[in-house]
Amino acid sequence: MDPLLVISNSDAGTADEESLAAALKVLRAHCSVEVQATSDPGELDSALHRAGSRRIVVAGGDGSMHAVVAALHKRHDLEGAVLGLLPLGTGNDFARANEIPLDIEEAAQVICDGHPRPMDLLVDEVGEIVVNNVHVGAGAVASKRGAKWKTRLHAVGVGKVNLGKLGYPIGALSAWVKPPFIRVRVEVDGEVVTDLDHPILMMAVGNGPKVGGGTELVPYADPGDGKIDVMVSYAIGPLARFGYGAKLVVGRHPERDDVIYLRGTSVTVSGEEFWVSADGEIYGPERHRSWRLQRAAYSLVVPASQPG
C-alpha cells in the first residue's frame, strides 16, 4: 500500500481519539501512516501541501470530508486524488451512502482492501463545492434549528455516547410544526420544474442520498452515477406534511403526488429568500443559487463489494 496521510480534527474528543488509535493500528499493519491534526483551513491547507504522493485519509464526519475535498479543489489538486474515509462524525451520511462501515476498524480495513471508485461533485456558481447534498426550505431550516440543538445536547453524555444525534429529529419536528413555505423557481438542465406561483415545502439536490444520520432525502441518488437527483415537495397542509414525513422516514416520499423527483446535471433555484444547507453547513438567506455536476472529480476507496 502507498503511504497514508490521515487528516484528523484537533478538536476531537477522547472517544474519537481512541477510535482513531484503533483504526491506525489496522492501517499501520499494512503501510506507513502519518497523522496530522488540523483545526482551521490554514492548518488543513498546510497539511495538504506537505502530503506529496501520499494517499489522504479523512478521519471525521461529513463536515471533515467536505473540508478536505473543498481544500483540494481550491488547490487544483482534486483531480486524480484518491481519498479514504474513517467515519468519526455524528451523522456519517457520506460513509453510509458508500457502504463504508461505521465500525472504525472495519472502515480502516476497507482502506486496505477496498478499491477506488470515482465520485461526482456539485459545484456552485462561485466555485464552492458540495460532496453529499444540498437542500433549501424546510430541510435547511430543520438543519439550522437542529444544529443548535445538536450543540446543546452534545454536552449531555460522555464522548460519542451523548444526546447530540437528537438534534436532527428535534430540528425536523420544529420545521414540521412551523414550516417555512417558500416561493421559488427551480430549473433542472434549463427546464422550469416549479415556479413562483406554487409555494413549496422544500427542495433537495442530491449527490448522495442521506442526511441527518441516515434519512434518505433523495433516496435514489448515487455519488458516482453522473447525475444529480432533485426532489421538490409541495406538502403544504398539515395532513400533507404528516403524510410526507411518514413517507420520508422510509424513503418512499417520491411516490407521493405532491413530490417531484427527477435527475439532471445542473440545478438553479431563485425567488423569495431561502436558507441553504450544504453538507450540513447552513447559510443564507439567499435569493439565487445554482449547482452543476462535475463528473468523476476524485475517487474514494470503497468496499470491494461496491462497483468500481
Side-chain angles (χ1 to χ4, degrees), residues 77-97:
D77 289 337
L78 188 59
E79 184 178 0
V82 178
L83 305 181
L85 178 58
L86 296 171
L88 290 173
T90 302
N92 296 311
D93 291 302
F94 199 64
R96 296 171 192 267

Side-chain angles (χ1 to χ4, degrees), residues 121-125 128-130 133-136 187-189 203-205 228 264-270 274-278 283 286 288-294:
L121 197 65
L122 305 183
V123 184
D124 70 16
E125 69 270 38
E128 297 296 327
I129 63 97
V130 176
N133 57 50
V134 56
H135 44 99
V136 307
E187 300 175 57
V188 178
D189 292 346
M203 183 208 65
V205 181
I228 300 172
T265 58
S266 66
V267 182
T268 299
V269 55
S270 59
F274 54 85
W275 287 87
V276 181
S277 176
Y283 59 87
E286 304 284 344
H288 181 279
R289 301 297 299 184
S290 64
W291 297 271
R292 60 177 175 82
L293 183 84
Q294 183 175 332

Side-chain angles (χ1 to χ4, degrees), residues 177-214:
V177 173
K178 296 181 66 176
F181 305 136
I182 56 174
R183 293 180 182 270
V184 292
R185 172 179 296 165
V186 178
E187 300 175 57
V188 178
D189 292 346
E191 297 291 328
V192 177
V193 298
T194 190
D195 215 332
L196 301 174
D197 53 345
H198 292 291
I200 68 170
L201 178 67
M202 66 176 299
M203 183 208 65
V205 181
N207 188 40
K210 302 174 187 289
V211 298

Side-chain angles (χ1 to χ4, degrees), residues 8 21 48 53 60 88 126 136 158 162 164-165 172 201 206 208 249 263 267:
S8 67
L48 295 175
S53 61
L88 290 173
V126 296
V136 307
V158 179
N162 60 68
K165 284 187 178 181
L201 178 67
V249 169
R263 313 178 81 213
V267 182

Side-chain angles (χ1 to χ4, degrees), residues 52-234:
S53 61
R54 290 175 293 178
R55 178 171 293 181
I56 296 166
V57 174
V58 180
D62 298 327
S64 298
M65 187 70 185
H66 173 97
V68 170
V69 173
L72 289 169
H73 184 263
K74 288 181 179 178
R75 292 176 55 83
H76 304 288
D77 289 337
L78 188 59
E79 184 178 0
V82 178
L83 305 181
L85 178 58
L86 296 171
L88 290 173
T90 302
N92 296 311
D93 291 302
F94 199 64
R96 296 171 192 267
N98 290 286
E99 298 184 5
I100 294 173
L102 300 187
D103 179 273
I104 200 67
E105 292 176 90
E106 292 179 10
Q109 197 62 50
V110 166
I111 293 172
C112 300
D113 300 337
H115 62 88
R117 185 189 183 206
M119 294 282 112
D120 301 331
L121 197 65
L122 305 183
V123 184
D124 70 16
E125 69 270 38
V126 296
E128 297 296 327
I129 63 97
V130 176
V131 171
N132 189 37
N133 57 50
V134 56
H135 44 99
V136 307
V141 172
S143 296
K144 184 171 181 284
R145 296 172 183 172
K148 294 179 180 179
W149 279 103
K150 176 185 172 183
T151 300
R152 295 170 185 168
L153 294 173
H154 195 271
V156 183
V158 179
K160 298 193 80 171
V161 183
N162 60 68
L163 301 182
K165 284 187 178 181
L166 292 179
Y168 294 119
I170 290 174
L173 179 61
S174 173
W176 180 79
V177 173
K178 296 181 66 176
F181 305 136
I182 56 174
R183 293 180 182 270
V184 292
R185 172 179 296 165
V186 178
E187 300 175 57
V188 178
D189 292 346
E191 297 291 328
V192 177
V193 298
T194 190
D195 215 332
L196 301 174
D197 53 345
H198 292 291
I200 68 170
L201 178 67
M202 66 176 299
M203 183 208 65
V205 181
N207 188 40
K210 302 174 187 289
V211 298
T215 299
E216 294 189 335
L217 186 59
V218 274
Y220 312 130
D222 181 333
D225 67 355
K227 292 289 185 180
I228 300 172
D229 285 41
V230 181
M231 188 279 298
V232 180
S233 170
Y234 296 98

